[in-house]
Amino acid sequence: MSTSRIVFAALSALLLFWGVGAYNRLVSLRSAVTVAWAPIDAQLRRRQALAFDLATALAELPAMSDEVGRSTLQTLVAATRQAQAAADHAQVRPSSAGAIQSLGLAEQVLDGALRPLRVLIGARAGLLDEPPIAERVQALLHGLQEADEQISFTRRVFKEAVASFNAAVHELPTRLVASAFGFRPAAPLQGASPERGPDSQLVSSFGDRR
């Protein structure tokens, strides 16, 4: 075998070895994104369930039976279902930027639907005077606040996993392997549960009235 053939064979073997390593690295980083998504998915679903239960509890109050009250609760229920559907889609492929971005938008809508409840609780005297309903609503509000805090933490972990994966997808020469095998950049979750959003303010408002 000539020297040129030996060199070519060695270079080919080296290129193949590097390609396999780059591919395995991308798979590992994408798997890390999926693992990091699991806890945030759990907290988002908990938050969505609590929001739905809150709407159900408030619907039992006579003070919420007027047009404004019914509209506010209907909007919350619709936003909750939209967020649940988006979460189902994101759960299948948490590394899909489109799925995560759609979920972020749905969570922003849910945040916007929760916000008017603080206004109603603050504006309507005696809204939560009935002890059984008041205790249930208080527990739900505290649950929402705890879910917000957990989402804030798990979202940072997910963001770090996404950043590591995206860095590998974009860097050269790994980008060549990523392009060849269909690896696409992921996206962090935006817009879900601000550090002090409407739910925590609702708890504070409730506590001041007790």
Side-chain angles (χ1 to χ4, degrees):
M1 182 179 295
S2 65
T3 302
S4 60
R5 290 184 177 181
I6 294 175
V7 171
F8 178 78
L11 290 176
S12 297
L14 182 61
L15 181 62
L16 177 63
F17 179 79
W18 170 85
V20 171
Y23 176 83
N24 289 339
R25 180 186 174 212
L26 289 167
V27 170
S28 178
L29 289 172
R30 187 171 62 184
S31 296
V33 170
T34 301
V35 170
W37 179 251
I40 191 171
D41 177 68
Q43 291 302 322
L44 287 173
R45 292 182 183 279
R46 178 192 175 200
R47 181 171 183 258
Q48 293 157 5
L50 287 167
F52 184 85
D53 289 345
L54 179 61
T56 301
L58 290 174
E60 298 178 12
L61 299 174
M64 295 294 292
S65 62
D66 63 353
E67 183 177 353
V68 174
R70 291 197 309 271
S71 176
T72 300
L73 296 179
Q74 289 170 359
T75 300
L76 177 57
V77 170
T80 300
R81 289 173 175 166
Q82 180 183 358
Q84 290 171 337
D88 289 341
H89 183 56
Q91 185 183 40
V92 178
R93 282 194 63 191
S95 61
S96 168
I100 298 302
Q101 289 168 351
S102 295
L103 177 56
L105 292 174
E107 286 294 329
Q108 288 182 25
V109 173
L110 180 56
D111 284 336
L114 281 165
R115 195 169 296 115
L117 293 179
R118 175 174 59 86
V119 177
L120 289 177
I121 290 176
R124 298 189 175 187
L127 181 63
L128 298 177
D129 285 348
E130 299 181 32
I133 299 296
E135 292 173 3
R136 183 182 177 191
V137 170
Q138 184 184 33
L140 291 169
L141 294 177
H142 277 293
L144 284 167
Q145 185 177 7
E146 291 173 356
D148 280 349
E149 293 169 355
Q150 290 297 317
I151 291 171
S152 180
F153 171 75
T154 54
R155 184 173 58 184
R156 289 195 295 270
V157 175
F158 180 70
K159 182 178 181 180
E160 291 172 0
V162 167
S164 297
F165 174 69
N166 287 351
V169 170
H170 289 300
E171 71 182 11
L172 286 173
T174 308
R175 184 190 303 178
L176 301 176
V177 176
S179 177
F181 289 94
F183 290 91
R184 298 290 181 267
L189 180 65
Q190 303 290 346
S193 71
E195 292 185 1
R196 178 164 177 83
D199 303 331
S200 59
Q201 295 177 31
L202 274 166
V203 173
S204 298
S205 299
F206 181 89
D208 292 342
R209 292 170 57 99
R210 296 292 290 169

